[in-house]
């Protein structure tokens, strides 16, 4: 789990597009804290502070503390919106989490030991089916990533979710099947047209 951090915020009395535009002009981002059977809380955060955390990585898998006018609230970022043109943070949604809260989180999948895969050494390709896996997990035990070891995998081998080590107590949100995370594929389909082309040149 990534190291936690704290952000300072102030409550928002007014909501709506006009209010949000005014906040952004003043270097602030509108945000909402919801969940834990409490009414939503509209807040404003520093654009600079939030953007730094997003670009640092692990933003969506790290529990944070938001200091709202002196009240400390533990949260997990659930969504954020960027301006499609300027890559500017527009809005953030946070979920309240308490000790032992169970949350669903998209966790990135990383692959290691590609050089130890016979299939890849023979010219095969790593076909990643899922770059992220959604897990049900304790808010205090969210992994930064899941790791898939490619050691020994041959062309035609498949990595299922059952082959991936998950944190204690974590379960995939998709629970009705042992879904595929990645496969090692061959390059035969790419080679065939090349051979045909070479044959055509010889006939000519």
């Amino acid at each position: 789990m990534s190291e936690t951090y704290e952000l300072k915020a102030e409550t928002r009395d007014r909501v709506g597009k006009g209010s949000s535009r005014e906040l952004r002009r003043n270097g602030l981002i509108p945000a909402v804290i919801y969940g834990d059977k409490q009414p939503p809380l509209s807040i404003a955060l520093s654009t600079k502070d939030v953007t730094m955390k997003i670009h640092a990585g692990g933003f969506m898998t790290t529990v944070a503390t938001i200091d709202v006018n002196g009240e400390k609230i533990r949260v997990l970022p659930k969504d954020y919106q960027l301006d499609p043109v300027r890559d500017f943070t527009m809005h953030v949604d946070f979920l309240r989490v308490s000790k032992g809260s169970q949350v669903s989180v998209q966790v990135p999948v990383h692959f290691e030991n590609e050089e130890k895969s016979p299939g890849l050494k023979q010219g095969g390709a790593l076909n990643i089916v899922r770059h992220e896996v959604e897990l049900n997990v304790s808010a205090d035990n969210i992994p930064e990533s899941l790791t898939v070891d490619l050691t020994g995998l041959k062309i035609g081998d498949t990595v299922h979710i059952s082959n991936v080590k998950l944190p204690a107590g974590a379960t995939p949100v998709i629970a009705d099947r042992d879904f595929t995370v990645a496969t090692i594929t061959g390059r035969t389909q790419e080679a065939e047209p090349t051979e045909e082309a070479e044959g055509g040149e010889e006939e000519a």
Side-chain angles (χ1 to χ4, degrees):
M1 182 176 170
S2 299
E3 188 175 341
T4 188
Y5 58 89
E6 183 171 307
L7 296 171
K8 288 193 175 294
E10 56 189 54
T11 54
R12 286 191 290 145
D13 296 325
R14 295 186 301 123
V15 296
K17 289 185 178 179
S19 172
S20 296
R21 280 196 295 266
E22 184 179 343
L23 284 173
R24 295 184 190 107
R25 282 197 297 269
N26 293 323
L28 299 172
I29 296 172
V32 174
I33 301 174
Y34 66 94
D36 204 22
K37 299 178 181 178
Q38 297 184 47
L41 177 64
S42 297
I43 60 172
L45 297 157
S46 161
T47 301
K48 180 181 177 182
D49 291 348
V50 173
T51 302
M52 282 177 58
K53 293 302 179 185
I54 290 173
H55 289 305
F59 183 65
M60 302 294 286
T61 56
T62 304
V63 172
T65 300
I66 297 184
D67 182 339
V68 186
N69 301 333
E71 180 188 1
K72 308 268 186 169
I73 305 173
R74 292 181 82 232
V75 299
L76 178 68
K78 291 300 290 182
D79 192 24
Y80 63 89
Q81 295 158 9
L82 298 177
D83 183 291
V85 177
R86 295 177 294 164
D87 196 30
F88 177 88
T89 311
M90 301 284 288
H91 187 273
V92 186
D93 289 337
F94 294 99
L95 176 70
R96 285 187 184 89
V97 294
S98 51
K99 198 75 174 175
S101 289
Q102 289 287 314
V103 294
S104 61
V105 183
Q106 292 278 4
V107 179
V109 181
H110 293 166
F111 297 85
E112 65 179 16
N113 293 326
E114 294 189 25
E115 72 283 358
K116 296 180 181 179
S117 162
L120 295 180
K121 280 185 177 180
Q122 291 165 7
L126 175 61
N127 174 39
I128 301 174
V129 178
R130 292 181 182 271
H131 291 271
E132 295 180 321
V133 171
E134 189 172 12
L135 299 179
N136 291 317
V137 64
S138 166
D140 296 299
N141 197 29
I142 301 172
E144 288 185 56
S145 62
L146 300 177
T147 301
V148 174
D149 187 352
L150 300 174
T151 300
L153 294 186
K154 303 181 289 295
I155 289 175
D157 283 350
T158 298
V159 179
H160 294 101
I161 188 62
S162 60
N163 306 126
V164 182
K165 185 176 180 180
L166 303 180
T171 57
V173 170
I174 299 173
D176 60 346
R177 64 186 187 277
D178 190 13
F179 57 86
T180 299
V181 176
T183 60
I184 305 294
T185 60
R187 296 192 183 273
T188 53
Q189 291 178 338
E190 294 177 15
E192 286 171 3
T194 305
E195 290 169 5
E196 288 172 6
E198 289 172 355
E201 289 174 4
E202 287 174 6
E203 289 170 8

